[in-house]
Amino acid sequence: MSQTGKRTKTRHDDYRGRGVLRELLIPWGVYTRAMSTGTTSPQTIVIVGGVAGGMSAATRLRRINEEATIIVLERGGEVSFANCGLPYHVGGVIPDRGSLVLQKPEQLKRRFNIDVHVRTEVTAINREARTVAARNVLTGDVQEFSYDALVLSPGSTPFRPPIPGVETAHVLWNLDDMDALIAAADGASRAVVVGGGFIGLELAENLVHRGMSTTLLEALPQLMPSLDVEMAWPLVERATHNGLDVRLQSAVTTISPNGVMLSDGTEISADLVVVAVGAKPNTELAVAADLTMGEAGGIRVDEQMRTSDPHIWAVGDAVEKERVDGHTLVPLAGLANRHGRLAADSIMGQPASAKVAYGTSIVGFFGLAAASTGYTERVLVAKGHRPRIIHTHPVSHAGYYPDASQLAMKLLVDPDSDAILGAQVVGDEGVDKRIDVIATAMSAGLTASDLMDLELSYAPQFASAKDPVNMLGYVNDNRRRGEKSVQWHEVSEWMDQGWILVDVRTDGEYSRGAIPGSQLFTLDELRENLDQFQGQRVIVTCRVGQRGHTAASLLAQEGIEVANLDGGYLTWNMGVAATPSSEPAPAH
Ligand SMILES: Cc1cc2nc3c(=O)[nH]c(=O)nc-3n(C[C@H](O)[C@H](O)[C@H](O)COP(=O)(O)OP(=O)(O)OC[C@H]3O[C@@H](n4cnc5c(N)ncnc54)[C@H](O)[C@@H]3O)c2cc1C
């Protein structure tokens, strides 16, 4: 029934029996035979949500089955738009708005024979009748669509924290949001972005590109929660270097059209406030239809992306993904696209099985890239693990070839099984390659030691003969064989317990900055001073941990108890800078 009282048309009548040659009735619906495989498949598939997951499902369905009726119902004004590109149009990096819209409904009809209904919001699922009710958001007219299979890909909604005045703030989630944001930014000069996750970072950078004086506020002590605190520090440095004012541990208590107020009473004036503090899955339809929900608040699906109703599949941000040790929300475009395709295969009776999700992601920020996969140290420790932690700082390509830059890498390993639990890479060049190699290794079940043996491409402008990923494997191998290490945040505690700290860098390096309480013995002087360390417990450190490893090997062979500072002075410095209260500042 139409809620507006207008005549309601049932699409089921339009589609059922239209040109279907090999119709077959089986217990849960009317099926056609998929052309490529000869398996049975549903005749009418309705898809809720026409962007990442939904449109991947729709086009894949058509590629497998020419006969099925495929209907996409989308609440917004466009389907198949590039939400990941929105911040870059705000900043003018992507000047043409039209390039963000990848497919128009007319094109989808012509090329794929997909019936797309935009500005059409699905308001209810009737599981018994296998229909959905959909409201035209412009006219209020309600229509009913019958399905044999239903795919839910309704995405998520930006979270608006319960702060007074939050309704005056902008969000950035779709093209309408982007247009409103750009209109507000035109002629404005000061902006505040609340939230230091990947959308907050991308947006803040692009507002700076627009020439706006921008402040980025984050309530946590770090940016990018997908990184550990020390690995996130270069983002703060890069922001500062580019004139973006970053304030950590800054909780907003009030938002108004004139700016924000922080919990410590600080007022920050702004013409424009944008809130980017995460998203919540759009599960209302699924909950109302009594589909099984998971503990993390998303729709629960099996490895074929099928919900608790055998006629309903769900993908994308609204769905919980299987991770190594449980199910959780992983709102990323790659997974939504992959699972949309996988759901289509499953609907068409083709083999399909989702793999464990590692949450592999990357953000670009003023030329810096920060990427991660798997779990962070913070999460692992909270789960009760004691991972082996490895920090390295290799150059992105051979140091002798121009423009090499330094990476910061972190690997988290299960010390018992040698399984890779997570990785993080931050730097200017080659970050994507390294994180993707490690993510692939994890997905293939390779161990951390296997990273040593990966045969990776090399020429001086791209890598080193021992690629940074191989180097992580070597360090892991040393540690697996018993080399002791100490983490940056443990140094002062160990020194309190009587360990001495020996810095084996050069005089020049030491004079530019050193860990308080350390003694300088350059690596080349160490051999002739071994007597001094007998009976002592020694932490050795250098710039990145490599000379420290040589020093540790030497001392250990002399019977001296020794530990190498993991990641050396660079990691210690990042950690201390990121957590000012944890360690004394470097001595100069
Ligand atoms: C600004 C921004 C930048 C991003 N950048 C990246 C990135 O760089 N990398 C990355 O991996 N991920 C990124 N993402 C996340 C990525 O876009 C999402 O994970 C992905 O789009 C989720 O796909 P989905 O199909 O679940 O939802 P969406 O792609 O959001 O599509 C859901 C659609 O469903 C529609 N809908 C919802 N409810 C209904 C209803 N009841 N009836 C009809 N239609 C409905 C919505 O209007 C929406 O268009 C970004 C997201 C944003 C917003």
Side-chain angles (χ1 to χ4, degrees), residues 257-541:
N258 302 320
V260 299
M261 184 183 281
L262 306 183
S263 55
D264 64 1
T266 308
E267 285 183 39
I268 304 175
S269 305
D271 312 306
L272 177 73
V273 179
V274 192
V275 174
V277 292
K280 51 183 176 38
N282 290 335
T283 54
E284 298 80 359
L285 281 175
V287 169
D290 210 20
L291 297 176
T292 302
M293 304 299 292
E295 278 167 21
I299 304 169
R300 181 53 74 85
V301 290
D302 64 14
E303 69 282 358
Q304 297 190 344
M305 312 314 291
R306 204 190 287 242
T307 68
S308 51
D309 182 321
H311 305 280
I312 305 179
W313 283 254
V315 300
D317 288 3
V319 162
E320 290 186 5
K321 279 89 178 175
E322 190 189 350
R323 297 204 65 173
V324 175
D325 61 354
H327 290 80
T328 185
L329 296 163
V330 190
L332 290 170
L335 289 168
N337 278 276
R338 228 165 70 206
H339 291 160
R341 185 182 195 275
L342 194 148
D345 286 354
S346 167
I347 289 168
M348 289 299 168
Q350 301 203 351
S353 183
K355 289 199 162 202
V356 164
Y358 293 102
T360 308
S361 63
I362 185 164
V363 65
F365 192 55
F366 295 110
L368 193 69
S372 62
T373 186
Y375 293 115
T376 58
E377 176 185 347
R378 190 180 58 253
V379 168
L380 288 169
V381 169
K383 285 172 181 276
H385 294 274
R386 287 181 57 83
R388 180 184 300 142
I389 303 164
I390 296 167
H391 291 87
T392 59
H393 297 273
V395 279
S396 55
H397 62 250
Y400 58 81
Y401 190 88
D403 299 330
S405 62
Q406 192 144 34
L407 297 167
M409 301 180 79
K410 181 170 185 176
L411 190 72
L412 297 149
V413 182
D414 182 333
D416 300 323
S417 67
D418 206 30
I420 306 168
L421 303 174
Q424 297 158 45
V425 187
V426 181
D428 287 82
E429 187 200 55
V431 170
D432 49 349
K433 166 174 163 169
R434 274 60 192 225
I435 205 71
D436 285 344
V437 169
I438 297 170
T440 306
M442 289 169 76
S443 181
L446 301 186
T447 64
S449 299
D450 289 330
L451 297 180
M452 288 188 292
D453 299 322
L454 292 181
E455 188 184 330
L456 302 172
S457 61
Y458 161 64
Q461 61 272 53
F462 302 108
S464 300
K466 287 177 191 152
D467 188 87
V469 174
N470 298 136
M471 295 299 291
L472 281 176
Y474 291 128
V475 177
N476 178 69
D477 188 52
N478 294 333
R479 299 274 289 282
R480 201 167 57 95
R481 290 166 191 264
E483 181 178 287
K484 200 169 184 149
S485 72
V486 54
Q487 290 302 310
W488 63 270
H489 50 84
E490 297 168 331
V491 173
S492 63
E493 190 190 323
W494 284 38
M495 288 173 77
D496 288 348
Q497 290 167 10
W499 289 73
I500 62 165
L501 179 60
V502 174
D503 193 324
V504 300
R505 295 176 300 162
T506 63
D507 291 350
E509 287 175 289
Y510 192 80
S511 65
R512 285 194 290 278
I515 302 175
S518 60
Q519 312 167 31
L520 176 67
F521 286 90
T522 68
L523 184 57
D524 298 335
E525 292 167 353
L526 206 59
R527 196 165 271 107
E528 65 222 34
N529 286 290
L530 289 173
D531 288 353
Q532 301 200 28
F533 306 117
Q534 287 299 344
Q536 305 254 39
R537 290 181 297 166
V538 183
I539 300 171
V540 285
T541 181

